[in-house]
Amino acid sequence: MSTRAVEEAGEDDLDGLAVFAVDDVEPESVAPVAAVEPIVMATVTEVDVAALPVEPLGPALVVVPDIEQMTLRRAAKELAAVGLKLSVRDEYGDAVPRWSWGDYEVSTQKVDAGTEVVPGATVKVKARVLRRLVSGY
């Protein structure tokens, strides 16, 4: 605010403001300003991209194995060997209990074999009951 604005302002307009006139400042209390060197910006004309370090974007991917026609137990072992999990539904869409995985085989897998996925991903499959020949009467 200028000195004239301070003189014209009322008491209420100046609450909380500290106003100093330039004439009130003593020269000894002002620190001298140091000389500032200009910053020179360098331009890069050519960069060897192959020499730049490359950080991986995420965890290494794993390849989904072909588990079709395997028993669910064998398929679960194959997937666990590469760090993947198995989720199973039968042909009616019901969950297949783990204790009966030996009686089912993978009919189709949702993620195609050879696809790269993140470790720990779940591979969903449809399973069907194994047909076993029973001998006897």
Side-chain angles (χ1 to χ4, degrees), residues 11 127 130:
E11 291 273 332
L130 285 171

Side-chain angles (χ1 to χ4, degrees), residues 6-133:
V6 171
E7 291 171 0
E8 292 175 2
E11 291 273 332
D12 294 336
D13 295 334
L14 299 177
D15 284 345
L17 294 179
V19 180
F20 299 97
V22 176
D23 298 339
D24 295 341
V25 178
E26 297 178 17
E28 297 85 31
S29 66
V30 177
V33 176
V36 178
E37 293 289 326
I39 298 173
V40 178
M41 300 294 288
T43 58
V44 177
T45 56
E46 191 174 315
V47 176
D48 185 10
V49 176
L52 295 174
V54 177
E55 295 287 327
L57 297 177
L61 299 177
V62 295
V63 177
V64 176
D66 183 11
I67 56 173
E68 289 187 11
Q69 311 305 316
M70 290 185 185
T71 65
L72 294 179
R73 285 187 185 147
R74 176 78 177 149
K77 287 180 185 178
E78 290 285 326
L79 292 174
V82 295
L84 300 174
K85 299 174 189 170
L86 180 64
S87 174
V88 183
R89 297 283 176 178
D90 64 10
E91 55 259 351
Y92 305 108
D94 297 326
V96 177
R98 194 176 283 262
W99 58 266
S100 66
W101 281 11
D103 298 329
Y104 286 82
E105 70 178 0
V106 177
S107 59
T108 59
Q109 63 188 77
K110 180 106 174 165
V111 180
D112 293 331
T115 305
E116 292 183 338
V117 295
V118 294
T122 301
V123 177
K124 296 179 180 181
V125 300
K126 289 264 185 188
R128 64 176 166 247
V129 177
L130 285 171
R131 297 199 175 137
R132 299 181 190 251
L133 295 175

